[in-house]
Amino acid sequence: MSGMKGGALFLTRLNAVAAEIEALLGRLLAVAPTEDEVARPGRLLEAMRYASLGGGKRLRPFLVVEAAALFGVAREHALLAGAAIECVHCYSLVHDDLPAMDDDALRRGQPTVHKAFDEATAILAGDSLLTFAFDILSRPDTHPNAAVRVGLVLALARAAGLGGMAGGQMLDLAAEGRFAGGRPERLGEGEIITLQAMKTGALLRFACVAGAMLGEAGAEKRGALDRYGAALGQAFQIADDLLDVEGDAATLGKAAGKDAAAGKATLVGVLGPAEARIRLAQLVAEAETALAPFGKDALWLKAAARFVAERRA
Amino acid sequence: MSGMKGGALFLTRLNAVAAEIEALLGRLLAVAPTEDEVARPGRLLEAMRYASLGGGKRLRPFLVVEAAALFGVAREHALLAGAAIECVHCYSLVHDDLPAMDDDALRRGQPTVHKAFDEATAILAGDSLLTFAFDILSRPDTHPNAAVRVGLVLALARAAGLGGMAGGQMLDLAAEGRFAGGRPERLGEGEIITLQAMKTGALLRFACVAGAMLGEAGAEKRGALDRYGAALGQAFQIADDLLDVEGDAATLGKAAGKDAAAGKATLVGVLGPAEARIRLAQLVAEAETALAPFGKDALWLKAAARFVAERRA
């Protein structure tokens, strides 16, 4: 599958998962508290819904769903795991946008949570979305096997925490010299790759591996999805940095060139756009190669790798 | 057991658990990354250690350990679950202290995390401690039975999230009228009890129930610990509010009377100190009664209820 028609079919499939995730998160974040909850305070719930509903490509849930489909996992299980990962993604956006972090006023063309509500509510909404991800993953609805659920919890905690996404954000802030007495550092290629593998790569990679975990896959196939996810994560970040250099504010829904202006450490900055584009193509090829054990079944994951590399927003 | 001698024995036992938790958290938050972690950025790890080591009564881990001991649970399992709950407690302190929240400069007589480091680091350290709690709980070391571990994850997520601790903090900020256009509300007794059951009660209660879950206890004994935990949680909060009115800054390590000055909704404010003291005694009696099914084995949990009510700091 390739060319315009393949791309259109892929987008239809991506949007279908996005619609299912939207509906599912809407149900999970209902007004009525679940058992064990005393109440769901209105303002907090509203901020969590604002942060997680009504937008986003839902790429991470798509990766879970398509990876899980390789093993015949029930779609409702994959969607719940995908919704959990999406909650972590949305929490990270809410906290990264805070004045003390990246200080962004717009996200997907809309006011960020601390602008639409206030800073305290944004901090709590992020905290609660992160917590909610573990709530969702550990529910029996997500998988009948407790060992699978707790395995997902552990892997998500590793991908999101100190040694993953949160750690990557710390390295990113440090590279910009954002602390008292700090100065921007000029990171080398290896350091940038580590930073990005943590900040954005770990969660994308986990989304792919989660599909294999839900399918109780063996080490070989799980390893294949791990390699696919790692290559896709790197490709995602290079494409994002290229977009930041070349995109325009209208398509992105945020200020273009902002990262470059902030002196953010990116591979595009180190390699230059032409070399970065070559690297991007290599990573897409690497992602596709990793999927060899799945043969033709992996066509949508292959399309996802190309989509990530070619997207314009 | 009662009187001065009983109190001293209790403190010895409490301090022993505190020392074990301190050592355990120190090991868990080691410099070397665990498998699945890319790296542990130094500044973030340092902030997490600053926030979680070197202080605190470790009451929640103590409750886990003593409740678990009723069922003959291996102490190392109870300590790991206790360490996870302590990470959630410490994260909540870091975020609550932020300028956008309670804006506190001191905690246990030391600069708060955002003062000792900076706001961005404090936000990330809190996020990472919360995430780390789920990492710890889901490790096979914490309990051999995956169903027990994932049950603990779910219960912790419920206790800490939207319908628990984070939701309680939201209600507390709302009651103070901290949002644009907001005004302080005068909460009634029932509303204050709900707020506190969420903000501080849910995690204390979970600590007690976690002991029963680790012991794979039946519904009756689990329910007994749940009732004990709920009464203890309420007693804890009333004692805290009495201390705020009557304590002095030197013993508390924070500004006394600050909550009253901020117009915080407390039962002491609604009932008056004399009536609050009667309520406190009733709650201690309730906590002790709930422990009846355990007979003499529950003496340390009974002592914990008295300690919570009588503490001076």
Side-chain angles (χ1 to χ4, degrees):
Chain A
M1 194 189 65
S2 67
M4 282 300 287
K5 188 155 171 245
L9 284 173
F10 174 79
L11 279 181
T12 304
R13 207 166 162 101
L14 179 65
N15 291 338
V17 171
E20 286 173 283
I21 286 292
E22 183 80 14
L24 177 56
L25 282 173
R27 285 198 302 278
L28 291 167
L29 291 169
V31 174
T34 43
E35 42 165 351
D36 307 332
E37 287 177 331
V38 180
R40 293 185 154 187
R43 185 182 180 88
L44 182 54
L45 184 65
E46 214 183 303
M48 290 171 75
R49 293 179 63 97
Y50 183 86
S52 62
L53 300 178
K57 291 179 288 292
R58 312 299 191 183
L59 175 62
R60 291 156 195 80
F62 180 82
L63 293 169
V64 181
V65 167
E66 293 297 344
L70 295 173
F71 306 97
V73 171
R75 194 171 178 91
E76 62 264 33
H77 293 160
L79 285 167
L80 279 163
I85 299 176
E86 194 68 6
C87 285
V88 172
H89 175 56
C90 293
Y91 123 74
S92 77
L93 300 180
V94 174
H95 280 192
D96 285 3
D97 285 339
L98 285 168
M101 302 267 243
D102 297 346
D103 196 15
D104 276 310
L106 286 179
R107 164 78 57 191
R108 296 177 194 138
Q110 299 293 319
T112 47
V113 178
H114 66 275
K115 289 288 179 186
F117 294 81
D118 62 278
E119 258 187 82
T121 303
I123 293 167
L124 287 172
D127 292 344
S128 301
L129 281 169
L130 171 58
T131 310
F132 200 57
F134 294 105
D135 180 329
I136 297 171
L137 273 191
S138 53
R139 295 178 188 200
D141 287 352
T142 298
H143 199 281
N145 184 345
V148 168
R149 298 202 301 280
V150 82
L152 289 168
V153 167
L154 181 57
L156 178 61
R158 294 276 159 93
L162 164 68
M165 190 178 69
Q169 173 71 355
M170 182 90 251
L171 291 178
D172 207 6
L173 293 170
E176 290 174 45
R178 295 277 297 277
F179 312 118
R183 288 178 201 186
E185 299 164 44
R186 195 140 191 92
L187 298 191
E189 191 184 325
E191 290 168 311
I192 293 172
I193 288 174
T194 297
L195 186 162
Q196 295 181 342
M198 294 171 74
K199 185 174 172 175
T200 51
L203 200 61
L204 285 164
R205 194 170 166 179
F206 169 65
C208 303
V209 173
M213 295 175 79
L214 287 165
E216 304 184 54
E220 195 211 341
K221 292 196 167 173
R222 185 171 157 164
L225 283 165
D226 193 22
R227 285 191 300 281
Y228 164 79
L232 179 123
Q234 280 192 61
F236 179 90
Q237 193 57 55
I238 292 178
D240 214 52
D241 295 335
L242 283 167
L243 271 172
D244 183 70
V245 173
E246 297 163 359
D248 68 85
T251 5
L252 282 173
K254 64 177 183 181
K258 189 177 169 178
D259 294 351
K264 272 205 190 280
T266 72
L267 278 185
V268 177
V270 168
L271 304 173
E275 187 65 33
R277 233 171 260 292
I278 293 170
R279 180 73 58 93
L280 183 55
Q282 287 167 343
L283 287 163
V284 171
E286 204 175 305
E288 293 187 328
T289 304
L291 296 171
F294 304 105
K296 282 174 97 175
D297 291 347
L299 98 159
W300 296 110
L301 287 179
K302 288 183 183 170
R306 289 192 300 274
F307 167 77
V308 156
E310 292 161 13
R311 74 208 157 89
R312 287 280 157 269
Chain B
M1 193 187 67
S2 67
M4 282 299 288
K5 187 154 172 245
L9 285 173
F10 173 80
L11 279 181
T12 304
R13 206 166 164 102
L14 178 65
N15 291 337
V17 171
E20 286 174 284
I21 286 291
E22 183 81 13
L24 177 56
L25 282 173
R27 284 198 302 278
L28 291 167
L29 290 170
V31 173
T34 43
E35 42 165 350
D36 306 333
E37 288 177 330
V38 180
R40 293 186 154 187
R43 186 182 179 87
L44 182 53
L45 184 66
E46 213 185 305
M48 290 170 75
R49 293 178 64 96
Y50 183 87
S52 62
L53 299 177
K57 292 178 288 290
R58 313 296 192 185
L59 176 61
R60 291 156 195 80
F62 180 80
L63 292 169
V64 181
V65 166
E66 293 296 345
L70 295 173
F71 306 97
V73 171
R75 193 171 179 92
E76 62 264 33
H77 294 159
L79 285 167
L80 280 163
I85 299 176
E86 194 68 7
C87 285
V88 172
H89 175 56
C90 293
Y91 124 75
S92 77
L93 300 180
V94 175
H95 280 192
D96 285 4
D97 285 340
L98 285 168
M101 303 267 243
D102 297 346
D103 195 14
D104 275 311
L106 286 179
R107 164 77 58 190
R108 296 177 196 137
Q110 298 293 320
T112 47
V113 178
H114 65 275
K115 289 288 180 187
F117 293 81
D118 62 278
E119 258 187 82
T121 303
I123 293 167
L124 287 172
D127 292 345
S128 301
L129 282 169
L130 171 58
T131 309
F132 200 58
F134 294 106
D135 181 330
I136 298 171
L137 274 192
S138 53
R139 295 178 188 200
D141 287 351
T142 298
H143 199 281
N145 184 345
V148 168
R149 299 201 301 279
V150 81
L152 289 167
V153 168
L154 181 57
L156 178 60
R158 293 277 158 92
L162 163 69
M165 191 178 68
Q169 173 71 354
M170 183 88 250
L171 291 178
D172 206 6
L173 293 170
E176 289 174 47
R178 295 278 296 276
F179 312 119
R183 288 179 200 185
E185 299 164 44
R186 196 141 189 92
L187 299 190
E189 190 183 326
E191 289 167 310
I192 293 172
I193 289 174
T194 297
L195 186 162
Q196 295 181 341
M198 294 171 75
K199 186 175 171 175
T200 50
L203 201 60
L204 285 164
R205 194 170 165 179
F206 170 65
C208 304
V209 173
M213 294 175 78
L214 287 164
E216 304 184 54
E220 196 211 341
K221 292 197 167 170
R222 185 170 157 165
L225 282 165
D226 193 23
R227 285 192 300 282
Y228 164 79
L232 177 123
Q234 281 192 62
F236 180 90
Q237 193 58 55
I238 293 178
D240 213 52
D241 295 335
L242 282 167
L243 271 173
D244 182 70
V245 173
E246 297 164 0
D248 68 86
T251 6
L252 282 175
K254 64 177 183 180
K258 188 176 170 178
D259 295 349
K264 274 206 191 279
T266 72
L267 278 184
V268 177
V270 169
L271 303 173
E275 186 66 31
R277 235 172 260 291
I278 294 170
R279 180 73 59 93
L280 184 55
Q282 286 167 344
L283 286 164
V284 171
E286 205 175 304
E288 293 187 327
T289 305
L291 296 171
F294 304 103
K296 283 174 97 173
D297 291 346
L299 97 158
W300 297 110
L301 287 178
K302 288 182 183 170
R306 290 193 298 276
F307 166 77
V308 156
E310 291 161 15
R311 74 206 156 91
R312 288 281 157 269

